[in-house]
Amino acid sequence: MTKRELLYEGKAKRIYKTEDENLFIAEFKDDLTAFDAQKRSQAKGKGALNCQISAHLFKLLEEYGIKTHFVECISDHEMVIKRAKMIMIEVVVRNIATGSLTKRLGIPDGTVLPFALVEFYYKNDELHDPLINDEHALILNLVEHESELEELKRLGREINVVLKSFFDKANLNLVDFKVEFGKDSQGNIILADEISPDSCRFWDKTSGEKLDKDLFRHDLGDVKVAYEEVLNRIQKVMQ
Ligand code: UDP
């Protein structure tokens, strides 16, 4: 598999065409951005860590019957993925209140939620990814049918069940995470993008220490060290 023309460059990844029209290559970058990309930096090796973490988690989810765009890794920072038409919704699942939820609703930081909360955000940088409800999503034609919104919620919850119990074994609380989905060539909804400490919050179950992008957002510590720790713990649990 070889990289052909660059199709898309995002904040954390570049997507390339390949000789197979149904497969792309995702290259994970070392760039770090936060607060609508107003805060920017780089952490050498971060892309490779996120690529490997995502690959492990995609494989894990596939074992539980959740379809993903992951095909295989071709280097430490590049993976072959299936071509999918992205659904412009960020699906956020929360187990513990923190971040924008505490700001928006005044729920104290660290409150364990009585059930997994699923939220939709409109993936639109110009509008700063606003929180939306089902009717907004339908009016914006982000999906073709209401049933697809139900499917996104169901998938978000299923992914949460698998990942939450997996990270529990790694002594990490899966606080919240964001996932994105696409439609494959047959119209199936598949998990796309990445699942990494850039898109999840992990708190050590014993110390409460943060092992995710909040370290960068709030200048709390070394991102690379924390992401390495997450990868090590994932590998240990998988052994
Ligand atoms: N998240 C993300 N990309 C975004 C917004 C949020 O990956 O553009 C993730 C974030 O890392 C966290 C979860 O989604 O795990 C919930 O984020 P929140 O809404 O609390 O936003 P924040 O406080 O990060 O602005």
Side-chain angles (χ1 to χ4, degrees):
M1 195 64 49
T2 47
K3 276 191 226 163
R4 297 271 168 96
E5 67 178 282
L6 178 68
L7 197 68
Y8 167 80
E9 176 155 6
K11 284 173 251 176
K13 288 185 293 303
R14 294 187 190 93
I15 309 293
Y16 294 89
K17 285 190 175 180
T18 68
E19 59 269 33
D20 184 334
E21 64 166 11
N22 288 313
L23 297 176
F24 294 153
I25 290 173
E27 181 187 82
F28 287 67
K29 305 198 293 185
D30 288 341
D31 298 9
L32 274 161
T33 64
F35 310 119
D36 265 339
Q38 285 172 40
K39 180 170 176 162
R40 289 166 183 273
S41 186
Q42 280 212 328
K44 203 170 170 352
K46 191 263 313 185
L49 289 165
N50 278 357
C51 182
Q52 291 164 70
I53 291 169
S54 289
H56 281 304
L57 299 178
F58 284 142
K59 281 186 226 165
L60 173 76
L61 291 166
E62 291 272 0
E63 281 170 23
Y64 284 87
I66 293 159
K67 301 251 175 300
T68 79
H69 72 165
F70 177 74
V71 179
E72 61 173 345
C73 286
I74 50 166
S75 76
D76 66 354
H77 66 290
E78 294 164 307
M79 60 171 70
V80 179
I81 56 173
K82 288 176 203 146
R83 177 186 186 150
K85 189 174 182 300
M86 292 304 290
I87 296 171
M88 299 307 274
I89 295 176
E90 297 192 342
V91 179
V92 168
V93 184
R94 303 174 184 272
N95 296 305
I96 298 177
T98 193
S100 71
L101 182 69
T102 60
K103 287 193 207 104
R104 193 179 326 112
L105 298 183
I107 303 173
D109 193 83
T111 305
V112 177
L113 301 174
F115 53 86
L117 170 64
V118 182
E119 298 173 331
F120 292 150
Y121 291 82
Y122 178 24
K123 209 171 137 54
N124 183 316
D125 281 342
E126 257 174 53
L127 298 175
H128 314 291
D129 299 345
L131 177 71
I132 54 169
N133 66 19
D134 290 22
E135 288 168 350
H136 294 134
L138 290 172
I139 285 167
L140 290 166
N141 290 314
L142 303 182
V143 288
E144 283 167 40
H145 192 269
E146 214 174 338
S147 63
E148 293 179 348
L149 295 174
E150 295 310 317
E151 194 174 347
L152 293 179
K153 286 180 212 169
R154 181 181 60 76
L155 286 166
R157 288 193 188 98
E158 275 181 28
I159 292 166
N160 183 51
V161 168
V162 174
L163 295 186
K164 196 167 175 278
S165 80
F166 177 83
F167 282 108
D168 196 59
K169 292 182 212 140
N171 203 40
L172 288 172
N173 263 323
L174 176 62
V175 174
D176 57 26
F177 63 91
K178 181 266 303 173
V179 276
E180 296 180 26
F181 297 87
K183 275 194 176 178
D184 69 11
S185 49
Q186 283 114 55
N188 302 308
I189 294 181
I190 60 172
L191 177 62
D193 193 49
E194 66 180 272
I195 309 185
S196 72
D198 273 3
S199 59
C200 304
R201 284 191 173 103
F202 301 114
W203 292 353
D204 183 273
K205 290 187 76 172
T206 313
S207 66
E209 185 193 353
K210 295 181 198 299
L211 292 164
D212 56 59
K213 201 165 91 172
D214 273 351
L215 296 173
F216 168 67
R217 289 189 186 99
H218 308 296
D219 300 313
L220 297 172
D222 190 328
V223 164
K224 175 103 187 290
V225 171
Y227 288 26
E228 255 162 12
E229 175 68 21
V230 172
L231 177 59
N232 286 339
R233 291 198 199 188
I234 289 172
Q235 284 167 339
K236 252 192 211 149
V237 176
M238 285 200 152
Q239 267 168 14

